[in-house]
Amino acid sequence: DLKTVMSTSAGWAPDVVRGDRTIDFATRPIELLDLIPTVPTSQTAVNYMEETTFTNAAAETDEAGAKPEATLALTERSSSVRKIAVLLPVTDEQLEDVPRIQAYLNNRLPFMVRQRLAGQIIAGDGTPPNLRGLLNTSGIQTQAKGADPTPDAVYKAMTLVRTTGQAEPDAVIFNPLDWQDVRLLRTLDGIYIWGNPSDAGPDRIWGLPVIQAQAMTQNTAAVGAFGMYSELDVKKGLVVET
């Protein structure tokens, strides 16, 4: 004869202890902030001078001749400091009962702020309280792609930076989906131009490093002298208050 089987459903359930690991939600990484030089400020607005007139009249001059006169003019510009904030209500019991919750929040909340900042640097529209991002800055040059292959259009944009912008470009920002198209370029006989698929491949184009940023508008790339002609002024930095 058989007796009733003593199993986990009628006896003791196995003791399960949850580990400390937390799997973060898949979200857009921060790809851009290291590209922009960062300096501190204590002001409510960042005022600076821009050289708006540069007339170089230097020329060869005869003895006792009149020296040609150059022209320089400066214009004061101002950019207001903006605040990026996020709030997460947490009960006292959570903070007291879960040892890891404080460290978890101290990681995730600053990440949210930095992720938002990276997006604003590229595409902020400048309407308060938004920052004015790269793509919405007045006076930036544009190079139409047209029928050009992407590498050709990028090189033409680099030439615009060098000739009209009078600067040396130091990086190119791509949307990852657009860089994928470049990375998969092949010759007519099927050879990958940007390296063998078994290799990591160079994230470079025409010698410049490529920054893949999801905040960059698809089908748009940005070429610039970011290290020399861009600046992120930070008033207070990241602060977590409980």
Side-chain angles (χ1 to χ4, degrees):
D1 294 333
L2 298 176
K3 300 294 185 180
T4 302
V5 176
M6 185 175 181
S7 63
T8 55
S9 61
W12 281 280
D15 188 17
V16 178
V17 178
R18 184 176 63 235
D20 290 336
R21 180 179 298 277
T22 299
I23 306 300
D24 292 335
F25 187 82
T27 186
R28 175 170 59 84
I30 302 169
E31 316 97 337
L32 181 66
L33 296 186
D34 290 339
L35 183 63
I36 308 297
T38 301
V39 298
T41 181
S42 59
Q43 305 299 311
T44 58
V46 177
N47 287 18
Y48 57 96
M49 302 302 295
E50 179 184 353
E51 189 177 75
T52 50
T53 299
F54 176 87
T55 303
N56 182 0
E60 296 70 28
T61 307
D62 292 328
E63 182 180 1
K67 298 178 177 65
E69 182 178 323
T71 304
L72 293 174
L74 302 176
T75 302
E76 184 176 10
R77 305 295 192 193
S78 180
S79 179
S80 297
V81 172
R82 305 298 184 191
K83 178 170 60 179
I84 299 177
V86 66
L87 173 70
L88 180 67
V90 183
T91 64
D92 293 337
E93 288 76 11
Q94 274 282 283
L95 291 175
E96 293 171 355
D97 296 345
V98 182
R100 291 175 59 87
I101 189 69
Q102 186 85 43
Y104 169 69
L105 296 177
N106 286 347
N107 283 318
R108 296 306 278 169
L109 293 178
F111 174 85
M112 293 177 185
V113 171
R114 287 171 59 81
Q115 185 188 64
R116 176 66 181 179
L117 174 60
Q120 285 278 292
I121 287 175
I122 291 179
D125 62 13
T127 302
N130 290 286
L131 299 173
R132 184 171 302 283
L134 171 67
L135 298 181
N136 292 308
T137 298
S138 176
I140 61 171
Q141 303 181 87
T142 58
Q143 171 62 47
K145 182 177 183 298
D148 287 336
T150 299
D152 292 25
V154 169
Y155 196 87
K156 290 180 179 180
M158 292 168 58
T159 301
L160 277 179
V161 173
R162 289 183 172 121
T163 55
T164 306
Q166 301 298 323
E168 185 60 32
D170 57 16
V172 184
I173 306 172
F174 271 91
N175 182 285
L177 294 174
D178 295 327
W179 181 245
Q180 170 184 267
D181 295 338
V182 175
R183 184 67 178 86
L184 298 180
L185 287 173
R186 291 183 288 179
T187 63
L188 293 177
D189 52 355
I191 304 299
Y192 284 97
I193 297 174
W194 251 258
N196 194 292
S198 63
D199 300 326
D203 276 354
R204 301 182 69 83
I205 186 167
W206 300 114
L208 300 183
V210 170
I211 308 298
Q212 298 185 54
Q214 293 183 42
M216 175 58 69
T217 304
Q218 194 174 353
N219 299 319
T220 302
V223 179
F226 301 103
M228 184 63 70
Y229 291 102
S230 64
E231 182 177 280
L232 175 63
D233 294 86
V234 178
K235 181 176 181 181
K236 197 174 181 181
L238 282 169
V239 177
V240 180
E241 297 178 347
T242 305

